Amino acid sequence: MTVVPMVRYGYNGGYNVDYDDGSNCIDWSLGVTWRFAEHYTLSGSVNYSQAATVLRHRDAGDEFWVGFRLGVEF
């Protein structure tokens, strides 16, 4: 099992992709990968993107998302 924490400060680095307003953000992420067989992995991540500057667009606040992935190697 592999655990990968991540904190990143960025200039519009994927934060609120619907708007190109150059808003700074702080991205927080925690990912876990589990190899449960020789050729299979299961990964999950919890992510939060926090605005570091004031956004001028309505409903363009912080974002939270969860992701899962099943990997097969051959």
Side-chain angles (χ1 to χ4, degrees), residues 30-56:
L30 180 62
V32 176
T33 300
W34 175 49
R35 180 173 296 276
F36 61 90
E38 184 177 355
H39 298 287
Y40 297 95
T41 58
L42 180 62
S43 301
S45 66
V46 176
N47 310 277
Y48 183 70
S49 190
Q50 176 181 9
T53 56
V54 176
L55 299 176
R56 293 184 175 87

Side-chain angles (χ1 to χ4, degrees), residues 1-66:
M1 180 178 291
T2 305
V3 178
V4 180
M6 189 269 300
V7 176
R8 175 183 71 171
Y9 177 81
Y11 179 78
N12 205 17
Y15 172 74
N16 276 326
V17 295
D18 294 336
Y19 301 103
D20 187 19
D21 57 6
S23 297
N24 292 325
C25 65
I26 302 170
D27 294 327
W28 307 84
S29 175
L30 180 62
V32 176
T33 300
W34 175 49
R35 180 173 296 276
F36 61 90
E38 184 177 355
H39 298 287
Y40 297 95
T41 58
L42 180 62
S43 301
S45 66
V46 176
N47 310 277
Y48 183 70
S49 190
Q50 176 181 9
T53 56
V54 176
L55 299 176
R56 293 184 175 87
H57 299 288
R58 183 177 176 192
D59 297 327
D62 301 345
E63 293 184 357
F64 173 80
W65 67 98
V66 176

